[in-house]
Amino acid sequence: MEKRISGHTGLLALIGSPVGHSGSPAMYNYSFEKLGIDYAYVAFDVKEADVPKTLEAMKLFNMRGMNVTMPDKIAAAKCVDELSPAARIIGAVNTIVNDNGKLTGYITDGEGFVANLKDNGVDIKGKKMVVCGGGGAATAIQVQCALDGATEIKIFNKNDSFFPRTVETAKKITEAAPQCAVSVHDIDDEQAFNAAIRECDIFVNGTIVGMKPMEDVSIVKDPSVFRPGLVVCDVVYNPEETKMLKEAKAAGCTTIGGKGMLLWQGVAAFKLYTGQDMPVEEVKEKYFS
């Protein structure tokens, strides 16, 4: 790294909290070095309340871009100068590109999720889905899957301050993809939650439940809902196999962790930052095998 850092090296970063576990710096810095691009990528632990100051610093330091992870995605969307169409629907961003002081926010989580499923032999088209969560990653998944041909998406979220926003987003998804039946439910209604899992083709945890230091917790309290033929996905990638995925695998489900989603959303963000394609196969072999 020190051999390629110069006075001209551009800076990119990941912000969120916690970020110490993230594999993004290694993935991006390897790709920059592999392609001979004069950028460096670091991670900053940034609380939600500090996002506005952080984006001002991004402009001050003329940083080329930032990835944004939980819990900062919604706050970041409020601070950029422009939003991509998908980010506008979702109200959250995971990628910010700085073009000479103009910050544009994008959301590549949904693209990454769908690409990761395809990489694991799973097609979204025609599927019934249950997605837990109303935050940035979960909503991005809901939007992209509806656009890509899912026939039904049942969203389960806590009936808290986010719930009305989740309902409003569901209406926007229905407008954008009317062929997909989208509904919102209280995740504390365990009977409805369990029934929905039993009836769906793909189940997704789009929350941070199961992420370290909560690795002994699962969003699904009753693992008997899992069955062979069900695809169970987690956006959490640390630990690589969450408690939920272990229980799903034991029940014969096809399980897909969040590590591949990290790769593929990063592929999309890399293109936005550099205009070049990430060396996906090399990155996959080095960091994701």
Side-chain angles (χ1 to χ4, degrees):
M1 173 72 76
E2 69 276 4
K3 293 179 181 178
R4 69 178 188 85
I5 297 292
S6 73
H8 299 286
T9 302
L11 180 63
L12 297 98
L14 168 70
I15 63 168
S17 186
V19 292
H21 63 278
S22 176
S24 292
M27 177 175 74
Y28 279 96
N29 286 316
Y30 172 80
S31 299
F32 293 149
E33 189 168 11
K34 187 82 176 173
L35 297 177
I37 300 172
D38 194 12
Y39 285 146
Y41 188 107
V42 295
F44 296 121
D45 196 300
V46 175
K47 308 298 184 189
E48 190 174 8
D50 293 325
V51 169
K53 291 186 293 185
T54 303
L55 296 200
E56 284 302 314
M58 183 182 183
K59 291 181 179 180
L60 179 65
F61 295 135
N62 195 29
M63 296 173 65
R64 172 57 180 159
M66 275 187 183
N67 286 123
V68 185
T69 191
M70 297 177 280
D72 295 346
K73 295 182 178 187
I74 293 171
K78 296 175 181 177
C79 298
V80 297
D81 301 304
E82 191 172 313
L83 292 168
S84 71
R88 197 174 303 117
I89 292 173
I90 296 163
V93 302
N94 78 324
T95 302
I96 303 171
V97 178
N98 181 6
D99 291 304
N100 300 313
K102 179 185 177 182
L103 304 185
T104 304
Y106 300 85
I107 191 86
T108 67
D109 284 329
E111 294 176 57
F113 177 82
V114 172
N116 187 32
L117 261 60
K118 286 181 180 176
D119 204 32
N120 283 274
V122 178
D123 190 358
I124 283 293
K125 193 169 184 180
K127 299 298 193 301
K128 293 182 178 181
M129 301 181 64
V130 171
V131 182
C132 298
T139 309
I141 289 167
Q142 294 151 17
V143 170
Q144 197 65 46
C145 289
L147 293 173
D148 285 358
T151 56
E152 180 180 83
I153 300 176
K154 291 185 176 180
I155 302 166
F156 282 84
N157 197 25
K158 281 277 188 186
N159 194 354
D160 56 13
S161 58
F162 274 105
F163 200 79
R165 179 182 175 276
T166 305
V167 172
E168 188 59 36
T169 302
K171 292 178 183 176
K172 293 179 182 178
I173 297 172
T174 300
E175 290 172 6
Q179 85 290 342
C180 183
V182 184
S183 56
V184 182
H185 310 267
D186 185 353
I187 200 168
D188 290 327
D189 184 345
E190 290 189 31
Q191 186 174 354
F193 183 50
N194 292 342
I197 298 173
R198 289 190 175 100
E199 294 168 2
C200 74
D201 303 303
I202 301 172
F203 174 76
V204 185
N205 173 36
T207 76
I208 61 172
V209 175
M211 180 188 289
K212 287 185 177 180
M214 296 184 289
E215 63 263 43
D216 59 341
V217 182
S218 171
I219 197 80
V220 179
K221 296 181 176 66
D222 180 7
S224 72
V225 298
F226 295 137
R227 67 187 191 279
L230 177 64
V231 178
V232 178
C233 310
D234 210 325
V235 301
V236 173
Y237 57 88
N238 188 37
E240 190 169 335
E241 188 176 52
T242 59
K243 179 182 180 183
M244 182 190 77
L245 291 183
K246 288 178 182 176
E247 292 176 340
K249 182 184 285 185
C253 300
T254 297
T255 58
I256 301 175
K259 204 171 181 183
M261 178 178 165
L262 172 69
L263 166 65
W264 289 103
Q265 63 86 15
V267 169
F270 190 89
K271 184 83 169 183
L272 290 170
Y273 296 142
T274 68
Q276 298 188 42
D277 293 321
M278 181 183 283
V280 178
E281 292 308 315
E282 292 96 325
V283 170
K284 190 188 294 185
E285 183 179 348
K286 189 172 179 65
Y287 297 107
F288 294 86
S289 58

